[in-house]
Amino acid sequence: MNPLWDLNFQLVLVGSLLIGATGGLLGTFTVLRKRSLLGDALAHAALPGVAGAFLLTGSKALPVLIAGATVSGAIGVLTIQAVVNHTRIKADAALGIVLSVFFGIGIVMLTHIQQSGGGNQSGLDKFLFGQAASIVGSDVKVMCVLSAFVLLAVACFYKEFKALIFDPDYLSSVGYSTRGVDLVLMGLIVLTVMVGLQAVGVILIAAMLITPAVAARFWTDRLGTMVVIATGLGAVSGGLGTWISTLAPKIPTGPVMVLVATGGFIASAVFAPRRGVISRLLRLRQ
């Protein structure tokens, strides 16, 4: 049977395409803002929210778990901002602190759930490493809504994000709060992380934010073009990763998506016309 006609494959494919596309889209701003590890920190910060939502509701429905993860991720964002703004700790150290502390809390909560007898029914361990095959129709609907909201928000705040990255002083001079725009950007990154948690997992979601954007950077100097390329590379990584994992059923989809994205990065690093290794070697030879 052709897997294209299988409903489960179609659901996983749509979910993976959304994860890859939104990851590449927001990853562009994250990388250029020099916040590459932010997605990793927020993914780890979301774990206590997933466990807390299950403990409070007893439900493993994706909207409930995503709501808990979003609240926890938002707390992580505010914690990072507070540490950077009110202490002498730099942003990279603040990211490391939030990543490790929140992840530790999440592991403790997951251990408590497993020991209480509800771990087998909860399936919360899927959020650690991802399990795209468990995506169902209702999950895809939630992903579609979140992805559409992220896309709309980026379209509305594109100029503000561009100014925040390249000229924050100008952004302040025209009446915008750089801190407020930065919080909006981080909030969208939180939602993007939430979209990919179930399929890619806490451990690997940062790769889907960083790798397509870094690969796209080899091909262009223009932000708009980079956004398009990164979004396309992310979507291709999601779709091709799903196809490969279908051909080899015992291979999980999330890690394959990351490996495909890494392959795109390597190809970009080698063959890009201006910044690629081959192009630089030819210029050096000349």
Side-chain angles (χ1 to χ4, degrees):
M1 179 180 178
N2 191 333
L4 291 176
W5 302 109
D6 182 66
L7 178 60
N8 183 64
F9 171 79
Q10 294 172 357
L11 293 174
V12 175
L13 178 63
V14 173
S16 300
L17 288 172
L18 291 174
I19 293 166
T22 53
L25 176 65
L26 262 296
T28 300
F29 300 101
T30 305
V31 169
L32 293 177
R33 183 65 175 152
K34 298 181 180 179
R35 298 280 183 82
S36 298
L37 287 178
L38 181 62
D40 194 24
L42 295 181
H44 287 73
L47 190 59
V50 172
F54 176 77
L55 287 172
L56 290 174
T57 64
S59 172
K60 62 178 182 179
L62 186 62
V64 174
L65 299 181
I66 282 185
T70 303
V71 172
S72 183
I75 294 174
V77 168
L78 296 176
T79 303
I80 293 170
Q81 287 289 88
V83 170
V84 172
N85 294 334
H86 300 292
T87 69
R88 295 184 178 182
I89 297 176
K90 301 298 182 181
D92 57 344
L95 287 172
I97 292 171
V98 169
L99 183 155
S100 56
V101 171
F102 276 69
F103 188 65
I105 294 172
I107 292 297
V108 170
M109 296 175 71
L110 287 180
T111 303
H112 170 72
I113 292 173
Q114 291 172 352
Q115 292 178 349
S116 66
N120 293 332
Q121 290 76 29
S122 68
L124 301 184
D125 56 328
K126 298 174 184 177
F127 284 86
L128 280 175
F129 303 104
Q131 188 172 357
S134 64
I135 294 176
V136 297
S138 58
D139 299 340
V140 172
K141 292 178 182 178
V142 174
M143 291 179 175
C144 287
V145 171
L146 292 178
S147 299
F149 179 80
V150 169
L151 179 62
L152 180 62
V154 170
C156 293
F157 288 94
Y158 178 78
K159 293 182 178 179
E160 288 76 11
F161 291 160
K162 185 176 182 179
L164 177 68
I165 293 169
F166 297 111
D167 196 351
D169 292 334
Y170 169 76
L171 186 65
S172 299
S173 68
V174 295
Y176 287 95
S177 168
T178 55
R179 187 177 299 177
V181 176
D182 199 23
L183 281 174
V184 172
L185 178 59
M186 286 196 286
L188 294 178
I189 295 171
V190 171
L191 291 180
T192 302
V193 169
M194 299 310 113
V195 171
L197 272 183
Q198 185 176 15
V200 185
V202 166
I203 307 298
L204 296 176
I205 186 62
M208 294 307 298
L209 275 171
I210 299 171
T211 309
V214 174
R217 185 68 182 91
F218 282 98
W219 297 93
T220 182
D221 288 323
R222 301 182 63 87
L223 177 61
T225 306
M226 183 177 171
V227 168
V228 173
I229 294 175
T231 304
L233 285 174
V236 169
S237 300
L240 190 57
T242 302
W243 176 260
I244 293 173
S245 66
T246 301
L247 296 179
K250 293 184 179 180
I251 299 178
T253 302
V256 177
M257 290 169 55
V258 173
L259 291 177
V260 172
T262 304
F265 164 75
I266 294 173
S268 300
V270 174
F271 298 108
R274 291 179 56 193
R275 295 187 175 88
V277 173
I278 293 178
S279 177
R280 290 188 176 187
L281 289 175
L282 290 175
R283 287 200 302 269
L284 182 62
R285 183 177 181 181
Q286 292 173 358

